[in-house]
Amino acid sequence: MPDNSLWYKDAVFYELYVRAYRDSNGNGHGDLGGVIEKLDYLQTLGVNCIWLLPTYPSPLKDDGYDIADYYNIHPDYGTLDDFKALVDAVHKRGMRIITDLVLNHTSDRHPWFQAARKNPESPYRDYYVWNDTDEKYQQARIIFLDVEESNWTWDEKAGQYYWHRFYKSQPDLNFDNPKVQEEMLSIAKFWLDLGVDGFRVDAVPYLFEREGTNCENLPETHAYMKKLRAFMEQHYPDRILLSEANGWPEDIQTYFGNGDEFHMAFHFPLMLHMYIALHKQSKSPLENIIARTPALSNNTQWCTFLRNHDELTLEMATEEDRQWMWQEYAPEPRMRQNLGIRRRLAPLLNNNRQKIELAFSLLFTLPGSPTLYYGDEIGMGDNIWLPDRNGVRTPMQWEDAPNGGFSKSNSPYAPVLDSEKYAPSRVNVTAQSDDPESLFNTIRQMIAVRSQHKAFSWGDFTWVEERNPAVAVFWRQNEAERLLILNNLSSNRESIKIKLPEENNKPQLLLGKLDYKSNKQKMVIEIEGYGYCWMKF
Ligand code: GLC
């Protein structure tokens, strides 16, 4: 049996935006007390690790990814005591919790930056990256393209330019300064001591800058992350590091090191290729990306996902794929942002219930530990008229009530969705919990079945040779069990023939619908449009 320190290999993650989740004190903002109230819900859904978006004090120019104090909780969300209470409540349920760790930059409101800009002699000056001109590191791309024109901004007080990879209100820290490196270890220690089970590490590739490079994925960054890992290994051996680094699989994989850097990394290209496959009604985009995905060592794991709190990124797509994705999935300009698409899962799939289920079936059956984005389990929509990425961060819809039951306030932090298709009167947790056929209950069942079969998390993955390109058919297997999975990417009913392992040809249906004829050597399966079927042999 896998030992417990490898818990992340079979975890199901749930990404939760505290401000949007549940307002327990009526101030219009979701809070930590609200998350505690909803732990029963999360447990019912079956997820077992919560990932909290940043909850630190912040001017919220980037929704909390601009941190003004690493050692506290934003007053809208509660206090450090509330945080401890949440961690305890999560652990009591046998669940885990990870938080965002933002290493690359602070808010410009952070006292370090304020001290740095005022006084060139301050020890904090060298916490940031300064220059007299804006001409250094010209090969580094601009990430927030829609808003920023340069990675350098002139600071009047400092009389110099400062470096920032994201908004100008997020100055980059100078990781060449050993003090910055130490500060970040202390911050990690502080939260680990409060009991968090690990970190989703934000914006990993950008920690260091070097002239003549694109300032991404530099060897120095890996060396620092290995230091952080060694520190955790020594003092907190069962906590994890999850990397947010976008790139091709062979590039992201470098963040696993030799099993001595990150435990997990988001599989951005697999996410993108699931959408391409779903729209092209063909498994070949999946075959290509999985063929390009290097094998993992025993103590590392991919983190897979369909959507998150950001735009669906097309940064690393080929130019052709990017144009195609925009055309097919973001026909209106308001749906696009930077190099991506700011829409939620359900609207991306035209609110087509079968297609949404199929997308989840892919997520739960392909290799990796899946992450759900809050609200997608009930098919929440988005609001493309809100600025930045706020349209995919609207209040969670608990019931058919004012503010969707999210808050009693008259002025919630953001309007609840009010479109005909997606308003709380149409999409909410209470109604779906009561309906055995709802999306919520289907997802819940998928998670339950997945959790009972370790072959999904630990098993090998092998494609089944099959001529029909529309159906993704594969085995997931370990010593104990062989699972056969079918995901029909086409809208049509399809028929496929599968050669069987001779000894045993009676499948047990785990999920979906199974319609087949078989003899000892082969099975002919009929599968409806966008259907899926999980079987055990
Ligand atoms: C990451 C976060 C994103 C944030 C950015 C800067 O990409 O996911 O929301 O804006 O980092 O911190």
Side-chain angles (χ1 to χ4, degrees):
M1 259 324 263
D3 83 64
N4 204 31
S5 65
L6 299 177
W7 59 270
Y8 53 93
K9 294 278 273 194
D10 32 35
V12 178
F13 289 79
Y14 187 90
E15 178 186 0
L16 190 156
Y17 178 38
V18 175
R19 185 177 300 280
Y21 213 57
R22 163 76 188 150
D23 171 13
S24 71
N25 62 6
N27 69 355
H29 303 274
D31 46 45
L32 297 172
V35 179
I36 295 178
E37 281 178 24
K38 295 301 180 185
L39 289 179
D40 285 346
Y41 166 76
L42 292 169
Q43 204 165 22
T44 306
L45 178 59
V47 297
N48 41 31
C49 184
I50 303 168
W51 152 31
L52 290 192
L53 295 192
T55 54
Y56 312 86
S58 158
L60 303 175
K61 296 269 172 57
D62 184 11
D63 245 340
Y65 282 97
D66 46 333
I67 298 175
D69 177 0
Y70 283 90
Y71 294 98
N72 219 326
I73 296 290
H74 194 290
D76 286 351
Y77 299 150
T79 62
L80 279 173
D81 281 337
D82 296 330
F83 188 84
K84 279 185 224 154
L86 172 61
V87 171
D88 282 351
V90 167
H91 288 163
K92 267 204 192 100
R93 287 173 162 77
M95 296 162 77
R96 305 196 193 238
I97 182 166
I98 64 170
T99 56
D100 245 290
L101 181 64
V102 185
L103 300 175
N104 182 64
H105 45 268
T106 68
S107 158
D108 58 1
R109 303 280 106 207
H110 196 289
W112 296 341
F113 190 70
Q114 290 302 318
R117 58 197 292 241
K118 268 188 219 129
N119 177 4
E121 303 308 318
S122 155
Y124 295 110
R125 182 73 159 207
D126 197 36
Y127 272 40
Y128 295 89
V129 182
W130 301 94
N131 202 40
D132 290 333
T133 72
D134 58 0
E135 270 140 39
K136 249 174 141 179
Y137 311 136
Q138 286 304 306
Q139 290 174 42
R141 68 195 169 102
I142 295 165
I143 297 168
F144 287 164
L145 273 177
D146 289 358
V147 176
E148 299 298 347
E149 282 169 5
S150 167
N151 288 322
W152 291 106
T153 289
W154 175 256
D155 188 72
E156 206 54 63
K157 250 194 200 140
Q160 277 193 308
Y161 289 91
Y162 65 89
W163 178 250
H164 55 88
R165 294 310 302 269
F166 296 93
Y167 289 126
K168 56 168 76 66
S169 50
Q170 293 164 295
D172 268 42
L173 285 162
N174 174 19
F175 270 81
D176 278 319
N177 181 347
K179 289 218 185 82
V180 167
Q181 299 197 10
E182 276 164 37
E183 295 272 14
M184 288 302 156
L185 286 185
S186 309
I187 290 162
K189 179 175 186 316
F190 176 80
W191 293 96
L192 292 164
D193 286 339
L194 283 177
V196 302
D197 295 289
F199 302 111
R200 177 263 192 192
V201 185
D202 183 66
V204 179
Y206 316 107
L207 303 189
F208 287 82
E209 299 73 37
R210 288 292 178 265
E211 197 59 278
T213 74
N214 65 359
C215 299
E216 293 184 24
N217 309 319
L218 297 177
E220 291 82 352
T221 297
H222 289 289
Y224 181 68
M225 290 314 307
K226 287 194 163 101
K227 245 193 231 174
L228 177 53
R229 170 66 180 268
F231 168 76
M232 285 173 60
E233 215 52 56
Q234 194 181 352
H235 303 287
Y236 310 91
D238 55 346
R239 325 286 180 94
I240 62 159
L241 290 169
L242 160 60
S243 142
E244 189 222 6
N246 191 358
W248 290 104
E250 58 273 21
D251 301 325
I252 316 178
Q253 191 240 7
T254 59
Y255 284 97
F256 293 127
N258 294 314
D260 58 354
E261 203 174 323
F262 281 88
H263 302 77
M264 303 189 79
F266 284 114
H267 203 320
F268 280 95
L270 180 61
M271 178 277 298
L272 173 63
H273 286 79
M274 286 194 273
Y275 286 99
I276 299 179
L278 282 165
H279 204 78
K280 292 199 167 153
Q281 310 203 2
S282 159
K283 67 179 167 182
S284 72
L286 295 174
E287 284 176 328
N288 294 341
I289 207 67
I290 290 173
R292 241 179 121 162
T293 299
L296 293 179
S297 61
N298 191 48
N299 68 343
T300 55
Q301 175 69 309
W302 294 108
C303 196
T304 54
F305 63 106
L306 291 164
R307 285 296 291 118
N308 64 19
H309 65 291
D310 288 326
E311 69 274 29
L312 187 171
T313 174
L314 306 174
E315 276 173 346
M316 298 294 168
T318 61
E319 187 53 36
E320 192 190 338
D321 282 346
R322 183 184 305 145
Q323 293 305 332
W324 180 86
M325 281 289 292
W326 265 333
Q327 209 175 304
E328 301 302 323
Y329 280 107
E332 288 177 39
R334 290 270 332 165
M335 296 172 175
R336 303 179 185 185
Q337 183 175 26
N338 300 318
L339 291 181
I341 300 174
R342 50 170 171 192
R343 302 184 75 192
R344 262 194 187 264
L345 178 68
L348 280 167
L349 301 182
N350 295 323
N351 206 21
N352 178 318
R353 171 66 187 273
Q354 282 131 310
K355 232 172 156 173
I356 297 172
E357 280 187 32
L358 174 66
F360 276 107
S361 173
L362 283 172
L363 179 72
F364 289 130
T365 56
L366 290 171
S369 293
T371 300
L372 284 83
Y373 181 50
Y374 88 91
D376 283 348
E377 73 275 25
I378 54 168
M380 255 171 70
D382 52 35
N383 179 352
I384 58 171
W385 301 104
L386 295 177
D388 204 338
R389 290 146 292 176
N390 298 2
V392 300
R393 303 178 184 179
T394 60
M396 180 70 177
Q397 297 175 187
W398 295 105
E399 52 187 322
D400 180 9
N403 296 329
F406 148 77
S407 167
K408 295 229 156 37
S409 162
N410 293 326
S411 50
Y413 78 95
V416 77
L417 299 181
D418 67 355
S419 71
E420 211 182 292
K421 271 194 210 158
Y422 297 109
S425 54
R426 297 293 296 274
V427 177
N428 73 70
V429 168
T430 308
Q432 291 200 25
S433 300
D434 294 344
D435 172 6
E437 305 292 312
S438 67
L439 180 63
F440 169 80
N441 275 313
T442 305
I443 304 300
R444 189 168 78 97
Q445 212 198 339
M446 283 183 176
I447 297 175
V449 172
R450 189 193 145 90
S451 307
Q452 283 154 17
H453 297 278
K454 297 278 182 222
F456 284 119
S457 34
W458 286 87
D460 295 336
F461 171 93
T462 3
W463 289 106
V464 172
E465 294 270 345
E466 183 10 73
R467 288 230 187 87
N468 187 338
V471 190
V473 189
F474 46 84
W475 291 104
R476 300 300 317 270
Q477 56 189 325
N478 58 12
E479 308 83 58
E481 57 191 4
R482 281 166 74 84
L483 309 180
L484 180 64
I485 311 296
L486 276 71
N487 288 304
N488 181 6
L489 299 156
S490 129
S491 52
N492 301 319
R493 192 176 171 81
E494 301 284 341
S495 170
I496 57 159
K497 284 195 199 80
I498 294 169
K499 272 205 207 115
L500 288 177
E502 263 177 67
E503 12 25 292
N504 184 350
N505 61 6
K506 262 248 144 48
Q508 174 200 345
L509 178 65
L510 300 178
L511 210 78
K513 284 191 198 122
L514 178 57
D515 176 0
Y516 77 106
K517 291 194 196 82
S518 76
N519 60 29
K520 275 236 160 64
Q521 283 81 36
K522 112 180 159 227
M523 227 180 146
V524 180
I525 308 180
E526 298 275 318
I527 183 158
E528 62 188 20
Y530 301 134
Y532 54 90
C533 177
W534 306 4
M535 290 170 254
K536 180 176 170 171
F537 280 83

